[in-house]
Amino acid sequence: MKHRLFSYGLVGITLFLFAAIGAFNYVIDPYGYNHAFPLKINAKKRVQNERQDKFTLLSKYPHVESFIFGSSRALRLNPDIVTSITKDETLNMAFCSASEDEYYLYIKYLVETRKVKTLIIGIDLFAYADAYQSNDTLPASLLAYYHLENTPQMSSYLNYDTLKDSLKTVQVNIKAIPSLNEYYTPHGQNIRIEYLKAAENQTTLKSYTYKNVIEKPPFWHIQKDKLSQERLNQLKEIKKLCDQKGIRLYLFMNPLWIKQITMKQNKFFLQKALLKYIVTTVQPVWDYNAITAINTDPYAYEDQFHFSCKTGDSILSEVIGSKASIAKYSGTYVTPQNLEAYLDQVDQNLRMYLKKAH
């Protein structure tokens, strides 16, 4: 009897906490989903709405015809590197936690409303994973263009990430906090000031890298071991649009830190499946996950998830200009002809790394 009462009590407390978190997130509304409770503590939504900011960036540069898309990883890519190679002014249109269906809408909008010469997409596994959903809100103007409405699932209000952003929203509205951690260049690249300061000398960089790359636990943004066919089809549609309009399309697989590749709850098999699908059904792609220096050198990264801006410069130099600015960070251009041999080499390199590590 006592055990049953304890179980009922535990279930009751859990349900109460979920309800309290959901109600708090709904009232604070950190992503501007419902606007149901206009209060002083939620007047400003989060610290930054990157999706809206990047859409606004388009209106500031109506003449630009070259664009970079992707997640917070792609935010580290300097569009001025592309400009220096192609002579075409370029914007970084990436935003945090981007799913493929989000930037698909941006790309389709661009192709339908202006001339586009070049598209560069940094591929993330989570962006094509089944059931993955970002919590942020797309710009009202973009939704209106497609006659869409912002209809979030109730689960959006019940998760921990939304709670963190709700607390951040309250904090920002109670006390103005200057943004000292990062800034955006005029063309949309995100630069983390803390990392830049640490990189000023080897001692601080070593300490920063140990704390933020080596010691931090890795993670995957994946709920199911399955790719979304809808998102894969949208990438194929992007390729079709580019072929029809004569747009240069560059694709590359974002490099992963070795601890993410080798962690226990591993999704690297799905990463390789995504690579294989893109190469065989869309187009050749640059890959940066052959267990080489770009995966194993902690100084290639700002944290356990994001490569550094310098690494990003090297990737763009190779993807657009065919030569990596950091030779040891070079990738492989994977085609249908070399795909199987390349995947075999990746597996062999991984086995060798694990053998040495143990």
Side-chain angles (χ1 to χ4, degrees), residues 214-230:
I214 298 173
E215 281 295 289
K216 275 195 175 180
F219 60 92
W220 293 84
H221 284 299
I222 307 294
Q223 296 178 13
K224 296 182 179 180
D225 295 341
K226 182 181 177 183
L227 298 174
S228 166
Q229 191 58 52
E230 180 181 358

Side-chain angles (χ1 to χ4, degrees), residues 324-338:
S325 57
I326 303 175
K328 66 178 181 177
Y329 292 168
S330 296
T332 300
Y333 190 62
V334 186
T335 68
Q337 290 71 36
N338 69 0

Side-chain angles (χ1 to χ4, degrees), residues 342-356:
Y342 175 72
L343 290 175
D344 288 344
Q345 187 63 55
V346 171
D347 290 340
Q348 182 180 332
N349 291 352
L350 182 56
R351 287 193 296 270
M352 291 176 61
Y353 174 84
L354 291 173
K355 186 177 180 180
K356 288 181 180 179

